[in-house]
Amino acid sequence: MDSCLYNQILSAINNRSYFLALDDSPSEEQVRDVVRQVMLDDPGIFWFAGQYDYDASQAGMFFRYTYPDFLVSQIQKGIADVLQNSFRLEYVRTLSVHQQVVYVYKWLSVFCKYEPKSSRASTIYSVFGCRNSASEGYAKAAQFLFGLLGIRSRLVFGRLHSDKSEDRHCWNIVNVEGQYYHFDASLSDIRSAQVAVNAVARELHIAYGVYYDLLCVSSDKISRTRTIEDVDALPPCPDSWPRELVEALLAVDVGKRVIYPGEEM
């Protein structure tokens, strides 16, 4: 991938520029691939949904953004407040890497509600701002939090075997001390029990109010519940964490679960 083109487009999106004059004259396919990679790499970009026009004759890109600048600033302040006061970022940084990974998983389950049809489902705003999200919002929020903790992760896409719709499902692979694992926090929410049961197709395991069947598992285990896109391009994930380890780590306190109108305590 052209690193110069990548950096140009990333800078333009981060600065919320509406026009970018490119140094060279890349093809439409090259531009599309770079935009896609930028969005995969940087989950913090919630104000851009991949909408742009490219004029190859002028080697220029015209960007369209989801939110105006003033609203982006307000949302960013809200996210910073959540990181400090709800997620407790500075405290989480004092934990071991295993504890951090489990903390992210459990905190997302407690803070956010799984909502497959969330209107802002594909961005971290759906998690940090709306507190209801589809799988892609969960996965991007996890990727965003892992980045703040210095933990490598990436997005993975596929389709749940139990989902008869055409919607893709999204989750993460996360690097824990040199070993990659699959990590799907979206199906940890006990309020979405039927979705999780349908996906896993067997009895779920629960500890401290969280389903943990899809926390740091192998490719073999995750593939029992879904297809995996571009699987050959992913790092190998040969192992799963032992159940005893997961249950012990889930004892970490992440605060109270968010209660929504109409729900029982």
Side-chain angles (χ1 to χ4, degrees):
M1 181 168 291
D2 187 331
S3 60
C4 181
L5 180 60
Y6 181 100
N7 290 331
Q8 277 190 284
I9 291 176
L10 175 61
S11 177
I13 294 172
N14 275 326
N15 291 321
R16 299 191 286 281
S17 303
Y18 286 91
F19 176 75
L20 171 64
L22 300 172
D23 292 340
D24 299 311
S25 299
S27 67
E28 291 186 12
E29 182 179 5
Q30 286 176 307
V31 171
R32 182 177 64 250
D33 288 346
V34 169
V35 169
R36 179 177 181 272
Q37 193 61 51
V38 165
M39 299 305 292
L40 289 173
D41 292 344
D42 193 340
I45 298 172
F46 60 83
W47 54 87
F48 177 64
Q51 295 184 318
Y52 67 91
D53 294 306
Y54 175 52
D55 187 337
S57 64
Q58 299 183 38
M61 295 181 67
F62 300 85
F63 296 92
R64 298 190 296 279
Y65 297 106
T66 310
Y67 305 106
D69 287 351
F70 80 91
L71 190 52
V72 170
S73 296
Q74 289 181 11
I75 294 172
Q76 288 175 325
K77 289 179 181 177
I79 292 173
D81 181 72
V82 170
L83 292 174
Q84 178 181 348
N85 297 308
S86 179
F87 184 72
R88 300 184 294 170
L89 178 60
E90 295 308 314
Y91 161 70
V92 181
R93 283 174 170 159
T94 69
L95 304 177
S96 71
V97 65
H98 287 78
Q99 291 172 322
Q100 289 175 340
V101 170
V102 172
Y103 189 101
V104 169
Y105 187 91
K106 187 176 179 183
W107 182 84
L108 286 170
S109 175
V110 169
F111 186 78
C112 188
K113 183 179 181 181
Y114 182 56
E115 196 68 58
K117 302 303 180 182
S118 172
S119 61
R120 296 177 177 84
S122 63
T123 74
I124 65 170
Y125 176 53
S126 63
V127 171
F128 294 105
C130 303
R131 295 188 175 183
N132 64 82
S133 181
S135 61
E136 189 170 350
Y138 271 87
K140 286 185 175 180
Q143 183 188 24
F144 180 74
L145 293 170
F146 286 142
L148 294 175
L149 297 168
I151 299 172
R152 296 198 304 277
S153 69
R154 58 186 288 184
L155 301 180
V156 186
F157 291 88
R159 297 185 189 278
L160 297 175
H161 297 325
S162 60
D163 189 352
K164 303 306 180 183
S165 72
E166 296 300 317
D167 294 337
R168 298 163 83 200
H169 192 76
C170 184
W171 67 100
N172 308 87
I173 56 171
V174 56
N175 187 300
V176 184
E177 297 184 339
Q179 176 65 61
Y180 277 97
Y181 301 89
H182 291 269
F183 174 105
D184 187 350
S186 68
L187 299 182
S188 64
D189 188 350
I190 61 173
R191 292 163 297 189
S192 302
Q194 194 57 53
V195 177
V197 168
N198 290 344
V200 177
R202 57 181 171 77
E203 184 180 355
L204 293 164
H205 297 97
I206 186 170
Y208 299 95
V210 175
Y211 292 133
Y212 62 84
D213 294 81
L214 301 173
L215 168 57
C216 289
V217 299
S218 66
S219 294
D220 177 67
K221 185 171 182 178
I222 203 83
S223 63
R224 299 172 195 170
T225 68
R226 68 202 64 196
T227 60
I228 304 174
E229 296 179 10
D230 301 322
V231 64
D232 292 336
L234 298 177
C237 305
D239 301 315
S240 299
W241 282 4
R243 186 186 304 175
E244 297 77 11
L245 171 64
V246 173
E247 291 186 353
L249 290 170
L250 279 170
V252 64
D253 180 20
V254 299
K256 295 181 179 180
R257 180 178 300 279
V258 176
I259 304 299
Y260 293 84
E263 290 186 341
E264 296 181 358
M265 296 289 289

